[in-house]
Amino acid sequence: MQNIITLKGITWDHSRGYCPMVATAQRFSETRPHVKIEWSKRSLQGFANEHIDTLAMNYDLIVIDHPWGGYAADTGILLNLDQYMPTHYLKDQAAHSVGKSYESYHFGGHQFALPIDAAAPVASSRPDILEQMGLDLPKSFNDLLQLASKGLVTMPGIPIDTLMNFYMFCCVMGEEPFLSSDYVVSEAIGKKALEMLKELADRLNPEFFDWNPIRVYEAMTVRNDLAYCPWAYGYSNYSRRGYASKVLHYHDLIKDDRGAVYRSTLGGTGLAISANSKNKDLAVEYAMFVANPIIQSSLFFDNGGQPGHRKAWQDDFVNIRSGDFFKSTLKTLDCAFLRPRYNGYMYFQDNAGSLIRDYLMNGGSTEDLIYSLNKIYLDSKK
């Protein structure tokens, strides 16, 4: 009998993040009885903020957020997958990326994770409420403001989501953040982006300031006063029959004055391997198994996962079972803004969102806020 080899993994605490990893680990072990994979989970906030150094010391497999790429490149804390995986496999992953998901884990000439999960803020609705009230989906920002004035709109308002929405509005105004090495965004664009965000926030129930996307979706599926969310990181789970008491429909974002879909901020997750793992080859084999398009379209999706491979997003059976979640939002994913990944960016992300959230809650000087954001940006690069 072979000795049992145990791999340990850490992911995030939601059906979308945990269940597909357990299911794929179970099946992987069934075909390789000498391998056991144990998955642990951490909160969504922990996933966004927790430093990967400690995780890489204690786990072989780590589900990560892509802005850690620069840190990984500088420290060597994660495995360079291009040195362990076949070139043809990585080329397939790149060719079938959802938006810039594959690119998001590529930094310094190396690939540090496989995009097993693709996401960006998309729109969602309760069609039954809108139909009952004789209302249509908003098509523009003005439409959105009118619907919000009726008390039917909500969105995530915790610091991280507020920051991602700020990036989105900068893009809507025609300027991607972080193009300059001296400031986050030009003052005129930043000011307009903040004012638009506040114009919407002032029309919403302040409860949203304590909500992440999961809490938004949980509220929308049990309450009958929330009919529309204009942007929150999509969760296909809530579009599947039986997952929640009410099924949500998902949509691409509203359009700007030129008729282009709003550009939200790319999210999703990648499966990385600790450089400290004592069983790198097996960890690589498992990671390739999870990211395989057949597994992504079946075992991974069937157990609550939100695939990262484009073939899964275009799969008819996957879409039938999710109310066309994937086909209905793919355009938004494809044009999503890619956050910076330089070593130090996470300092900016951890500190900037709360300032924007405070402005939305209490008002204040947009000029002072933009100055503070620029200072944090410059500090992050040190």
Side-chain angles (χ1 to χ4, degrees), residues 180-195:
S180 169
S181 60
D182 298 320
Y183 54 83
V184 177
V185 67
S186 62
E187 185 171 324
I189 293 295
K191 185 174 186 293
K192 181 62 176 175
L194 291 169
E195 289 172 347

Side-chain angles (χ1 to χ4, degrees), residues 138-353:
K139 297 179 180 179
S140 66
F141 187 66
N142 284 335
D143 289 347
L144 174 59
L145 293 179
Q146 291 179 29
L147 187 62
S149 295
K150 298 180 185 296
L152 298 172
V153 174
T154 190
M155 66 181 183
I158 63 172
I160 181 65
D161 293 285
T162 301
L163 180 62
M164 300 301 104
N165 289 337
F166 172 68
Y167 294 165
M168 175 183 64
F169 274 100
C170 291
C171 291
V172 170
M173 294 296 101
E175 183 182 328
E176 288 189 1
F178 305 103
L179 292 178
S180 169
S181 60
D182 298 320
Y183 54 83
V184 177
V185 67
S186 62
E187 185 171 324
I189 293 295
K191 185 174 186 293
K192 181 62 176 175
L194 291 169
E195 289 172 347
M196 290 181 71
L197 260 176
K198 183 155 178 56
E199 191 175 8
L200 175 60
D202 286 346
R203 287 168 166 78
L204 307 185
N205 186 322
E207 64 190 347
F208 87 91
F209 285 115
D210 296 320
W211 288 1
N212 63 17
I214 294 172
R215 290 193 65 182
V216 166
Y217 296 140
E218 291 290 348
M220 289 181 69
T221 56
V222 297
R223 289 167 48 171
N224 292 315
D225 60 334
L226 300 174
Y228 186 76
C229 174
W231 32 70
Y233 281 98
Y235 280 71
S236 66
N237 312 79
Y238 297 92
S239 67
R240 308 187 200 189
R241 187 168 65 92
Y243 187 79
S245 58
K246 294 290 184 179
V247 173
L248 298 182
H249 286 206
Y250 284 84
H251 322 273
D252 281 320
L253 299 186
I254 58 175
K255 295 182 178 180
D256 62 22
D257 294 338
R258 298 162 297 173
V261 173
Y262 271 37
R263 291 182 63 198
S264 55
T265 305
L266 187 67
T269 65
L271 182 52
I273 298 168
S274 170
N276 296 312
S277 174
K278 293 180 172 58
N279 296 286
K280 296 180 178 65
D281 290 340
L282 278 174
V284 166
E285 190 179 349
Y286 170 71
M288 292 174 63
F289 175 77
V290 174
N292 180 287
I294 296 176
I295 297 301
Q296 287 264 294
S297 302
S298 55
L299 186 63
F300 189 87
F301 169 79
D302 292 344
N303 287 277
Q306 188 162 297
H309 199 284
R310 194 173 190 86
K311 286 185 177 179
W313 278 67
Q314 297 172 324
D315 185 272
D316 289 337
F317 186 63
V318 166
N319 277 281
I320 288 171
R321 294 184 58 196
S322 62
D324 282 339
F325 170 92
F326 298 93
K327 290 181 179 179
S328 297
T329 60
L330 184 56
K331 185 184 297 184
T332 295
L333 271 288
D334 278 344
C335 69
F337 167 68
L338 179 60
R339 279 172 283 170
R341 291 155 294 152
Y342 64 87
N343 187 5
Y345 165 75
M346 292 300 291
Y347 174 84
F348 179 86
Q349 181 169 292
D350 290 344
N351 290 279

